[in-house]
Amino acid sequence: MKRRPRVSICVGTGGVGKTTVASALALNAAKEGSRALVLTIDPARRLRSLLRLDEGPGEHKVPIEAKGELWAAVLDVEHTLEAAVRTYGEGRQVETVLQHPIYRMLVSSLAGMQELMAVEYLDQALRKGFETIVVDTAPSRHAFEFLDKPEFFADLVSLPLVRFVGRSYRLWAESPLGRLGRRTFDVYAKLEELVGAGVLSQILDFYSVFRSIAEGYAARARASAQLLRDPRTCGFSVVTVPAKALRDGEYFLRELSRRGYPIERLIVNRVWRTVDVEPEPLAESDREILRWYRTVSREHEELGARLKQRFGSTVKMRSLPELDSTTAGLPLVEALCGALGVPLDGQT
Ligand SMILES: Nc1ncnc2c1ncn2[C@@H]1O[C@H](COP(=O)(O)OP(=O)(O)OP(=O)(O)O)[C@@H](O)[C@H]1O
Ligand SMILES: [Mg+2]
C-alpha cells in the first residue's frame, strides 16, 4: 500500500538551528525507511554547506547509511516556475511564456516569488514521489509569508475584480488610452491600498501575462494550503533555543493555531546537559568554568519544567543537546537525529 506523504515544516527565529534540525528530522525519516527530502526555502542557503551539496537546482542525494533515502534541495525560484510552466502550459504557449520579457523580469527580480514558489515546489516534490518532506523555512518571523502569500494570491485571483483589472491593467498602463481608463485605475488604486503596492503590481503583472498559468497555480496553492492544514499529512515543528523558548513558543504556537495549522512539536535545541565531572583534581580556573556550566545546565533543566507546564498540554516537546563546536555538517545532523527521540523533561 502506498504511504500517505508526510510534510514537516520547521519554523523558528534566526540561527536557532532550523536547517540542522530539519535535516535531522529528514534523516530520521530516511532511517525509518522513507524516501525523504529536506527542502530549504531559505535564500541564505545554509543547507548546501551543511550537507555539502554541489551547486545546481533539483534534488541531490545525500550519501548516508539508511533503510530509506535522504535527499536535499534548495528552492530555486526560476527552476520551479519553469517546471510549472512546462507541466501546465499548453503547446506553443510554453516557449512564448518562457521567453516573455515579463517572465524574465519576474523570475530575476521578485523577492516575493520565493514564497509563492515554495508551495509550488512542495507540490512538484510530492509528485516526484517523496514520502517525507521536511521544509526548512526562512529565518525570522517572516516564516509565515510562505504560508500566507500563496493563499492570499489564490484568494486574490479568484476575485472577479482582480480578474478584470489583471486582464486590462497592463494594457491601460502602457497605452495613451490609459487616461480614458481612470475608473479602472481607481479600482486598481483601491486594491493597492488594500494589499500593498509592491505585492499587488507583482501579482497583477504575473496574472496579466500568464493568466491560465496563474489560475492553475492558484488552484494548486489552495490544495497545498489544505494539505498543510491536515494533521494526517502535515505537522509543524517550532525550533527554538533555551534563551528564546518561552517567547518563541508563545508566538509561534499562537500564530500557527490562529492560521489553523497542525502543531507537531516544540524542539528546544542547544540544551546544556548536566555533566559528571569531579571538581577535585581540576585547577581553580577550570572549577570556575564547571560551576558556570552547572549553573546554566540547571537553568536549562528548570526551563524544561516550565515549558512543560506552559505548553505541555498542547504540544509534544523535544530537547536536543548542545554539541561540541567541532561537530558540524553531517556528523552534527547524525548526532541530533539520534537525540530526537529524547523527550523534554520526561514527557513523551
Ligand atoms: N545542537 C547544536 N549543537 C551545536 N551547534 C549547533 C547545534 N545546532 C545548531 N548548531 C550550529 O548553530 C549554527 C546555526 O545552525 P543552523 O544553520 O541550523 O540555524 P538556522 O536556524 O537554520 O539559522 P538561519 O536562521 O541563519 O538559517 C550552525 O553553525 C550549526 O552548526
Ligand atoms: Mg537556516
Side-chain angles (χ1 to χ4, degrees):
M1 199 178 76
K2 205 173 174 314
R3 280 190 243 194
R4 187 191 282 275
R6 179 93 201 140
V7 180
S8 276
I9 301 188
C10 291
V11 295
T13 54
V16 294
K18 289 179 303 300
T19 304
T20 312
V21 172
S23 306
L25 288 170
L27 176 61
N28 198 39
K31 290 197 167 173
E32 284 171 1
S34 187
R35 188 160 181 256
L37 171 71
V38 52
L39 159 71
T40 186
I41 57 172
D42 167 5
R45 306 190 158 203
R46 189 117 56 169
L47 191 66
R48 285 215 187 284
S49 56
L50 185 67
L51 299 178
R52 295 205 204 95
L53 300 177
D54 298 321
E55 282 299 321
E59 303 81 25
H60 298 259
K61 197 167 178 188
V62 184
I64 50 149
E65 292 285 319
K67 203 156 78 172
E69 295 172 4
L70 174 63
W71 294 74
V74 175
L75 175 68
D76 183 306
V77 169
E78 184 163 0
H79 193 72
T80 306
L81 190 53
E82 186 174 327
V85 172
R86 289 197 185 280
T87 312
Y88 303 105
E90 284 153 25
R92 287 184 22 229
Q93 188 199 18
V94 171
E95 289 312 314
T96 317
V97 167
L98 295 177
Q99 299 308 322
H100 200 288
I102 290 185
Y103 177 87
R104 308 298 330 155
M105 183 201 75
L106 273 171
V107 290
S108 61
S109 69
L110 285 189
M113 285 304 270
Q114 191 84 20
E115 287 100 20
L116 287 178
M117 284 303 112
V119 289
E120 181 70 46
Y121 185 83
L122 201 60
D123 185 74
Q124 289 173 13
L126 286 168
R127 282 170 207 272
K128 284 178 188 166
F130 285 103
E131 295 157 324
T132 301
I133 302 176
V134 185
V135 183
D136 164 36
T137 59
S140 93
R141 302 192 161 189
H142 299 298
F144 293 112
E145 293 231 318
F146 109 92
L147 299 166
D148 294 342
K149 251 194 198 169
E151 275 197 297
F152 171 69
F153 180 92
D155 290 349
L156 206 63
V157 299
S158 61
L159 291 175
L161 196 61
V162 170
R163 288 179 178 229
F164 172 68
V165 178
R167 270 172 221 176
S168 55
Y169 110 101
R170 224 186 152 74
L171 284 174
W172 289 120
E174 285 167 1
S175 147
L177 290 174
R179 261 170 273 127
L180 300 175
R182 288 258 31 122
R183 302 190 80 207
T184 311
F185 280 105
D186 284 348
V187 174
Y188 177 71
K190 280 208 182 73
L191 273 172
E192 195 170 73
E193 218 170 275
L194 199 71
V195 299
V199 185
L200 185 67
S201 61
Q202 288 165 10
I203 287 171
L204 290 181
D205 252 339
F206 187 70
Y207 185 77
S208 63
V209 181
F210 315 117
R211 194 152 48 86
S212 66
I213 286 167
E215 282 169 8
Y217 169 82
R220 289 191 297 284
R222 229 175 261 124
S224 294
Q226 236 169 28
L227 180 120
L228 298 184
R229 287 215 172 81
D230 184 345
R232 289 169 307 171
T233 41
C234 180
F236 282 69
S237 291
V238 177
V239 183
T240 185
V241 286
K244 297 179 177 176
L246 284 162
R247 209 180 40 203
D248 283 358
E250 205 70 66
Y251 173 77
F252 283 102
L253 298 184
R254 186 185 66 232
E255 291 300 311
L256 287 170
S257 27
R258 191 166 71 80
R259 288 169 171 81
Y261 291 111
I263 303 159
E264 199 166 8
R265 34 179 130 66
L266 176 70
I267 299 178
V268 188
N269 187 27
R270 312 196 75 148
V271 173
W272 291 18
R273 300 279 192 245
T274 44
V275 281
D276 290 322
V277 182
E278 284 304 319
E280 280 323 313
L282 297 176
E284 177 52 32
S285 56
D286 288 343
R287 270 195 299 227
E288 187 69 28
I289 293 173
L290 192 60
R291 271 197 292 277
W292 168 63
Y293 186 92
R294 284 195 165 140
T295 311
V296 176
S297 53
R298 210 171 305 123
E299 277 171 18
H300 286 183
E301 213 176 309
E302 284 162 17
L303 176 74
R306 282 175 68 195
L307 288 170
K308 191 187 167 196
Q309 203 177 31
R310 187 84 151 259
F311 309 116
S313 59
T314 45
V315 66
K316 271 200 289 192
M317 285 187 270
R318 289 288 178 266
S319 134
L320 295 177
E322 169 79 26
L323 295 174
D324 94 60
S325 58
T326 56
T327 319
L330 199 50
L332 174 67
V333 173
E334 291 261 9
L336 292 186
C337 173
L340 271 171
V342 180
L344 181 84
D345 193 35
Q347 189 224 25
T348 49

